[in-house]
Amino acid sequence: YLRRHAELLRSIDAPRMVYFTGTPFIMAVMTRKVNDLTVFDPFGETWTAAQLHDLMQDILAKNPTLILIEVNGSPLLNAPRQQFLQRVREAISSRFSLTRTEDGFEFWMPRSGNPWPQPS
C-alpha cells in the first residue's frame, strides 16, 4: 500500500500541488516531493482553529491546481489524523471539489468563484 501510494504521488506532475498524508516524512523520502508550505507536517503543527486558518491561507496563497488528501480508512492513518484530514476537507470544500479517488488519495480540484472559508 505504501509503495503504491508513493508511486502515485511521485507520478503526478501538477503545478502547485499540495498533499496531505498520514506519513509526511516517509512520503517526502520516497517521492522526493515536499509541500511548499510553512509547515512540514500539517497534523503535527496545526492544533488550533487559528493555525488551521493560517494553513489554509498559506495554501490559498500557493493557488494549488490540485490538493491530494489521504483517504479515510487508509492503513497509514490513525483516528486523530483522520479527524484532522476531515477538518481540512471541510475547510477546502467551498473552494475545491473532490473529483476522484485513486491509490489511497482523494483528488481535489479548484472550483471557481467561491470565497475561502474564515476561521471559526
Side-chain angles (χ1 to χ4, degrees), residues 25-79:
F25 179 76
I26 292 170
M27 281 295 120
V29 170
M30 292 180 75
T31 66
R32 295 190 175 125
K33 289 189 179 202
V34 179
N35 286 319
D36 180 25
L37 299 173
T38 55
V39 298
F40 177 77
D41 179 359
F43 170 77
E45 300 174 57
T46 306
W47 291 94
T48 66
Q51 289 171 321
L52 181 62
H53 174 72
D54 291 346
L55 175 62
M56 294 301 114
Q57 291 300 312
D58 187 24
I59 291 170
L60 177 60
K62 305 295 189 241
N63 193 25
T65 57
L66 174 64
I67 297 177
L68 297 177
I69 300 177
E70 184 119 14
V71 297
N72 281 334
S74 164
L76 305 177
L77 291 178
N78 58 18

Side-chain angles (χ1 to χ4, degrees), residues 49-112:
Q51 289 171 321
L52 181 62
H53 174 72
D54 291 346
L55 175 62
M56 294 301 114
Q57 291 300 312
D58 187 24
I59 291 170
L60 177 60
K62 305 295 189 241
N63 193 25
T65 57
L66 174 64
I67 297 177
L68 297 177
I69 300 177
E70 184 119 14
V71 297
N72 281 334
S74 164
L76 305 177
L77 291 178
N78 58 18
R81 283 187 188 263
Q82 282 187 24
Q83 292 168 353
F84 172 75
L85 292 181
Q86 186 56 38
R87 289 174 54 209
V88 169
R89 286 180 189 94
E90 291 166 4
I92 69 170
S93 65
S94 69
R95 294 272 308 207
F96 293 82
S97 296
L98 175 61
T99 59
R100 69 185 170 107
T101 301
E102 183 180 339
D103 284 333
F105 278 115
E106 297 172 349
F107 286 65
W108 291 76
M109 305 292 289
R111 295 180 186 198
S112 60

